């Protein structure tokens, strides 16, 4: 079986940052929902680009510029393939998922959302999928509607359907929750919204690095993700949009590269995707992202998803045996993100004590304060896994939690 | 002692589990609120100041062990002190986390509060230790103020 052949220990060797000690203890990196470590091939790609390939794209008539343009556009084609989009023109490079959402809010939203209209999000959204819509609503006089969840952290689909009406202009929903790992039924949600002619944006920041995401299968209208959460560089991400929507949307920012011609009387905008890529982009970042996608393709997203599912099972069982520990978010369908609280110990103290054992987790509200309020906790501790984590990492986490108990005895 | 034991001294664990003066104050004439939006810590400090003397002090809220123990021990330390003495004690407390090394005189003047010296080794936790103190200072300087660790208006320690 191929699944058994997956060798996390071997894969770890590709990630230089994982091979270090923190306070004399081997690093156990469990903050992958915040950002992931980078394989050597991605680091090398950045160095190689700046050492011997650096030139600006799309404008140069010399060799280096053409090479850089080819490399940059080559990644666009690979992202298309990775997401199974119909066309490369539907792939827009942005700074990250946050900028992708802001682009849609400012361009699509300001054009089509009017006074009295509604935008639907869920209670488990990251602030980046709340605040851009609030800003839009404030400006347009529109209203943000919130899909509730059950105590396990699952979308209440009946409530969702009830929220959709003739005033709804957009649904924007996380594919996977960054706090509790819930895998939302986005395909079904898209279908329901489309039944009423409502477009859907999927925040894929926590999904694209961990499972096979097919935008044609989901039939979502927009999807965003960040490069740095999928083993690529920071400062680069992708907005996927259906071409028919992108065509009728106005530009997000003005500048070079996004125009066909400029006079002081009139500017003609470039075609998609360039219309949305004003200024010199993060060329090195895009090339690094391309290398990260190559790396993921070599392992295989199905392999990654299957291995992480097994890690989640092991982690959930092991944490369930820790005295006084309560899991926050126990959805039936989950990605490998585990949030928890410990009786009488604040997550911040858990984070500090774990850190001294070399175990890096996140403690806080995880940029999802409404979700904290929903579960009635000020903060949680969160361990989030990637394919380079092992069952030994789970053991180290549990041992470190034993230390917390010792300190707070 | 390991650095962790230095940080989580017995007296700190004790105050975090059983905070003193952990209640609202009916006859209070000064109030302030303090937030650390990054970790969700949130305390309200209420005082009854008569003349120049802090007669009563109480606090409410949630936070980590360090912030809660610090708030609890702070209330014990400033009760009965003048406003000027309380502010001076805060300066003394902040000095515990500043400079190259801990000064002996500093530790002597702080008494029990010197238990927080271990926080020096955890720069990101200094804000936890000083949150209640910043809130107290805001309450002493004006009624109904709110302070936040993430606003530039207050001089927060590096972290």
């Amino acid at each position: 079986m191929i699944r058994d052949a997956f060798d996390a220990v071997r894969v770890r060797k590709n990630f230089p940052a994982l091979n270090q000690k923190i306070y004399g203890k081997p690093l156990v990196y469990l903050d992958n929902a915040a950002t992931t470590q980078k394989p050597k091939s991605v680091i090398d790609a950045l160095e190689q680009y700046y050492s011997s390939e650096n030139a600006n794209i799309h404008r140069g008539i010399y060799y280096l510029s053409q090479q850089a343009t080819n490399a940059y556009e080559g990644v666009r084609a690979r992202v298309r393939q990775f997401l199974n989009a119909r066309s490369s023109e539907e792939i827009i490079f942005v700074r990250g998922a946050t900028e992708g959402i802001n682009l849609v809010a400012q361009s699509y939203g300001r054009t089509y959302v009017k006074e009295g209209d509604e935008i639907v999000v869920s209670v488990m959204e990251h602030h980046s999928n709340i605040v851009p819509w609030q800003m839009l609503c404030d400006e347009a006089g529109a209203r943000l509607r919130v899909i509730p969840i059950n105590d396990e952290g699952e979308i209440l689909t009946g409530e969702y359907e009830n929220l959709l009406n003739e005033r709804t202009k957009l649904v924007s929903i996380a594919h996977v929750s960054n706090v509790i790992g819930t895998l939302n039924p986005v395909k079904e949600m898209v279908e329901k919204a489309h039944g009423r002619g409502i477009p859907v944006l999927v925040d894929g920041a926590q999904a694209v690095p961990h499972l096979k995401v097919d935008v044609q299968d989901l039939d979502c209208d927009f999807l965003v993700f960040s490069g740095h959460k999928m083993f690529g560089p920071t400062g680069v991400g992708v907005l996927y949009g259906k071409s028919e929507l992108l065509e009728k949307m106005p530009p997000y920012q003005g500048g070079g590269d996004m125009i066909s011609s400029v006079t002081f009387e009139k500017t003609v905008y470039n075609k998609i995707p360039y219309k949305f890529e004003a200024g010199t982009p993060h060329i090195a970042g895009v090339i690094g992202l391309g290398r990260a996608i190559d790396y993921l393709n070599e392992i295989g997203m199905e392999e990654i998803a299957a291995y992480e599912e097994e890690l989640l099972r092991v982690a959930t069982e092991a944490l369930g045996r820790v005295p006084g520990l309560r899991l926050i978010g126990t959805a039936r369908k989950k990605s490998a993100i585990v949030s928890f609280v410990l009786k009488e110990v604040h997550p911040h103290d858990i984070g500090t004590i774990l850190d001294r054992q070399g175990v890096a987790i996140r403690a806080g509200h995880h940029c999802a304060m409404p979700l904290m309020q929903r579960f009635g906790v000020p903060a949680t501790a969160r361990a989030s896994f990637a394919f380079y984590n092992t069952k030994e990492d789970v053991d180290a986490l549990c041992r470190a939690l034993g230390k917390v108990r010792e300190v707070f005895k | 002692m390991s650095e962790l034991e230095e940080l989580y001294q017995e007296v700190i664990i004790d105050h975090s589990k059983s905070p003193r003066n952990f209640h609202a104050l009916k006859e209070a004439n000064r109030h302030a609120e303090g937030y650390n939006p990054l970790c969700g810590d949130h305390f309200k400090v209420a005082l009854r100041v008569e003349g120049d003397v802090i007669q009563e002090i109480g606090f409410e809220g949630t936070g980590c062990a360090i912030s809660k123990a610090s708030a609890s021990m702070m209330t014990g330390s400033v009760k009965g002190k003048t406003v000027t003495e309380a502010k001076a004690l805060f300066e003394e407390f902040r000095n515990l986390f500043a400079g190259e090394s801990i000064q002996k005189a500093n530790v002597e003047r702080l008494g029990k509060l010197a238990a927080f010296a271990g926080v020096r080794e955890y720069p990101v936790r200094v804000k936890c230790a000083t949150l209640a103190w910043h809130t107290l200072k805001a309450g002493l300087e004006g009624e109904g103020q709110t302070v936040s660790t993430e606003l530039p208006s207050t001089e927060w320690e590096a972290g």
Side-chain angles (χ1 to χ4, degrees):
Chain A
M1 263 171 60
I2 306 168
R3 188 179 304 183
D4 292 337
F6 183 78
D7 187 350
V9 177
R10 186 177 57 79
V11 164
R12 286 175 74 85
K13 296 197 172 88
N14 298 327
F15 292 80
L18 293 175
N19 183 29
Q20 62 177 309
K21 290 192 168 168
I22 304 291
Y23 305 114
K25 311 259 172 59
L27 169 64
V28 176
Y29 186 76
L30 299 176
D31 197 17
N32 294 287
T35 197
T36 51
Q37 300 301 340
K38 319 305 174 197
K40 186 77 166 52
S41 61
V42 168
I43 299 166
D44 288 348
L46 296 179
E47 196 193 337
Q48 194 188 333
Y49 171 74
Y50 283 126
S51 302
S52 57
E53 297 163 0
N54 177 58
N56 210 334
I57 54 168
H58 294 155
R59 285 181 286 278
I61 50 162
Y62 51 92
Y63 178 81
L64 273 187
S65 172
Q66 284 161 16
Q67 291 299 104
T69 304
N70 289 347
Y72 182 84
E73 291 302 327
V75 176
R76 201 189 302 277
R78 260 131 75 211
V79 173
R80 182 209 69 74
Q81 195 175 31
F82 192 65
L83 297 177
N84 191 33
R86 264 158 307 199
S87 152
S88 292
E89 65 181 20
E90 296 180 313
I91 305 301
I92 297 160
F93 291 119
V94 290
R95 279 192 298 144
T98 296
E99 189 178 46
I101 296 172
N102 276 278
L103 191 160
V104 176
Q106 292 300 308
S107 171
Y108 186 88
R110 286 174 82 178
T111 308
Y112 296 104
V113 177
K114 306 290 181 203
E115 193 174 349
D117 286 344
E118 296 179 356
I119 290 164
V120 171
V121 298
S122 86
V123 73
M124 71 174 83
E125 300 309 318
H126 188 281
H127 294 164
S128 62
N129 198 22
I130 299 174
V131 182
W133 306 118
Q134 281 177 327
M135 290 163 65
L136 173 66
C137 287
D138 281 349
E139 193 184 312
R143 193 172 162 210
L144 195 63
R145 306 296 305 272
V146 183
I147 315 163
I149 56 172
N150 62 21
D151 290 343
E152 284 69 46
E154 295 165 325
I155 292 275
L156 295 170
T157 47
E159 302 275 341
Y160 164 63
E161 284 173 51
N162 290 339
L163 280 176
L164 301 177
N165 62 59
E166 65 282 0
R167 293 182 301 276
T168 314
K169 284 294 175 307
L170 190 84
V171 173
S172 194
I173 177 86
H175 198 163
V176 168
S177 158
N178 73 304
V179 182
I180 53 176
T182 308
L183 179 60
N184 286 319
V186 286
K187 188 176 174 180
E188 291 72 20
M189 293 175 78
V190 168
E191 209 179 305
K192 295 287 181 212
H194 284 180
R196 288 177 163 273
I198 304 162
V200 179
L201 184 152
V202 173
D203 173 1
Q206 301 294 344
V208 174
H210 302 284
L211 49 109
K212 178 74 195 148
V213 173
D214 180 329
V215 290
Q216 289 193 68
D217 178 52
L218 294 179
D219 199 25
C220 56
D221 302 274
F222 301 103
L223 180 132
V224 297
F225 66 86
S226 296
H228 74 96
K229 290 192 201 292
M230 56 183 292
F231 319 97
T234 54
V236 65
V238 166
L239 163 66
Y240 156 83
K242 283 183 178 169
S243 57
E244 56 266 35
L245 286 171
L246 295 177
E247 295 279 9
K248 58 181 196 175
M249 284 160 57
Y252 167 53
Q253 293 178 329
D257 230 24
M258 55 74 73
I259 47 87
S260 288
S261 70
V262 176
T263 66
F264 282 109
E265 287 69 41
K266 183 170 174 57
T267 290
V268 179
Y269 301 130
N270 205 339
K271 59 187 194 222
I272 62 168
Y274 310 109
K275 182 169 79 174
F276 295 104
E277 293 182 3
T280 298
H282 187 2
I283 304 166
V286 166
I287 290 170
L289 173 64
R291 204 61 73 87
I293 288 174
D294 295 344
Y295 186 89
L296 289 171
N297 281 334
E298 275 166 38
I299 301 178
M301 292 313 294
E302 280 86 2
E303 288 299 306
I304 288 171
Y307 177 73
E308 290 183 9
E309 195 177 340
E310 174 67 4
L311 264 184
L312 173 67
R313 191 188 61 76
V314 170
T316 306
E317 269 180 33
L319 290 172
R321 290 192 293 269
V322 174
L325 185 144
R326 177 162 72 98
L327 291 173
I328 304 289
T330 48
R332 276 159 294 178
K333 288 191 173 172
K334 271 188 73 168
S335 181
I337 295 174
V338 189
S339 253
F340 58 91
V341 290
L342 275 183
K343 206 177 171 195
E344 290 179 350
V345 186
H346 192 278
H348 214 151
D349 296 307
I350 299 173
T352 290
I353 297 169
L354 263 50
D355 177 43
R356 290 284 153 156
Q357 317 305 309
V359 180
I361 61 145
R362 184 56 71 99
H365 54 59
H366 318 291
C367 294
M369 291 167 91
L371 185 62
M372 297 293 110
Q373 285 153 20
R374 168 62 181 80
F375 281 105
V377 291
T380 72
R382 178 190 72 187
S384 53
F385 297 84
F387 56 78
Y388 47 57
N389 291 122
T390 61
K391 291 173 187 178
E392 286 69 35
D393 290 344
V394 174
D395 293 341
L397 170 64
C398 291
R399 273 199 308 278
L401 287 169
K403 182 76 183 175
V404 175
R405 191 48 63 204
E406 220 174 275
V407 171
F408 280 85
K409 65 183 175 287
Chain B
M1 262 196 294
S2 76
E3 276 182 359
L4 268 179
E5 286 158 347
E6 291 273 359
L7 178 66
Y8 294 106
Q9 301 217 359
E10 256 177 58
V11 60
I12 291 177
I13 297 288
D14 173 48
H15 274 265
S16 77
K17 285 185 173 173
S18 331
R20 326 292 199 261
N21 305 306
F22 190 52
H23 50 70
L25 210 62
K26 271 187 187 164
E27 304 83 21
N29 53 12
R30 306 283 180 88
H31 300 83
E33 279 188 62
Y35 286 97
N36 182 341
L38 295 185
C39 60
D41 288 2
H42 176 207
F43 291 107
K44 288 180 187 176
V45 173
L47 302 138
R48 183 163 63 82
V49 180
E50 282 175 14
D52 193 37
V53 178
I54 299 168
Q55 295 290 354
E56 286 290 340
I57 179 167
F59 81 104
E60 296 170 278
T62 57
C64 63
I66 304 298
S67 64
K68 204 170 198 177
S70 179
S72 170
M73 290 170 73
M74 173 190 82
T75 58
S77 313
V78 301
K79 201 190 279 189
K81 289 207 163 54
T82 66
V83 170
T84 315
E85 285 167 345
K87 284 185 183 176
L89 194 59
F90 179 27
E91 282 312 308
E92 206 69 67
F93 189 64
R94 291 173 82 172
N95 285 339
L96 199 55
F97 315 113
E100 292 281 304
S101 58
I102 302 172
Q103 303 299 314
K104 202 175 162 213
N106 181 214
V107 168
E108 280 167 9
R109 283 191 293 266
L110 280 170
K112 273 188 196 171
L113 294 175
F116 288 93
V119 179
R120 281 177 68 88
E121 299 302 320
Y122 299 80
V124 296
R125 306 301 301 274
V126 171
K127 284 177 184 176
C128 309
T130 57
L131 177 60
W133 285 93
H134 280 286
T135 313
L136 168 72
K137 184 164 176 260
L140 292 175
E141 287 173 353
E143 167 59 20
Q145 290 201 58
T146 299
V147 294
S148 165
T149 55
E150 301 313 308
L151 290 178
S153 57
T154 42
E155 299 159 35
W156 294 88
E157 290 70 14

